[in-house]
């Protein structure tokens, strides 16, 4: 029949929106936390045992910092774009005010 009258279609659409906006991230976090923790423990042990471990440790920290910074800007841009499209932010206001 008519797919828009089917509640399952709306549920699937809402689920997709939550995942695309990363609102459902915390629901997945407990499932992946142990793997991430183990990866950091193993990676730390590997870096410590490498020749020139201090250099590799600094490079690893810089890599994590730049990854986190870019993720933060990506998340901020995702929210800001939606606010701009919904006309909740005046168009004359420069985006740099929000993103630095």
């Amino acid at each position: 029949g008519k797919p828009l009258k089917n509640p399952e279609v709306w549920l699937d659409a809402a689920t997709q929106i939550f995942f695309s906006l990363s609102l459902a991230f915390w629901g997945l976090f407990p499932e992946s936390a142990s793997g991430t923790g183990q990866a950091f423990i193993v990676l730390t042990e590997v870096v410590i045992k490498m020749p020139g471990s201090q250099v590799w440790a600094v490079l690893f920290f810089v890599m994590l910092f730049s990854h986190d910074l870019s993720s933060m800007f990506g998340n901020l841009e995702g929210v800001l774009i939606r606010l701009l499209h919904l006309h909740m932010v005046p168009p004359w206001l420069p985006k740099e005010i929000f993103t630095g």
Side-chain angles (χ1 to χ4, degrees):
K2 298 181 180 183
L4 292 180
K5 291 186 178 183
N6 184 351
E8 289 182 28
V9 171
W10 288 98
L11 181 62
D12 290 342
T15 302
Q16 181 62 40
I17 290 169
F18 278 118
F19 278 103
S20 63
L21 293 175
S22 298
L23 296 175
F25 172 74
W26 291 108
L28 299 175
F29 184 72
E31 296 175 14
S32 63
S34 63
T36 304
Q38 290 172 358
F40 276 108
I41 292 169
V42 170
L43 199 55
T44 303
E45 290 294 322
V46 168
V47 169
I48 288 172
K49 294 180 181 183
M50 290 173 66
S53 62
Q54 291 178 343
V55 172
W56 290 111
V58 168
L59 289 174
F60 181 68
F61 172 76
V62 169
M63 179 203 58
L64 283 179
F65 179 74
S66 64
H67 175 269
D68 291 344
L69 196 60
S70 67
S71 294
M72 181 187 69
F73 281 117
N75 288 336
L76 184 61
E77 185 69 23
V79 171
L80 181 60
I81 270 303
R82 283 160 181 82
L83 291 176
L84 288 171
H85 286 181
L86 293 171
H87 305 291
M88 296 177 78
V89 176
W92 54 264
L93 198 62
K95 283 193 257 181
E96 290 79 11
I97 289 178
F98 299 102
T99 59

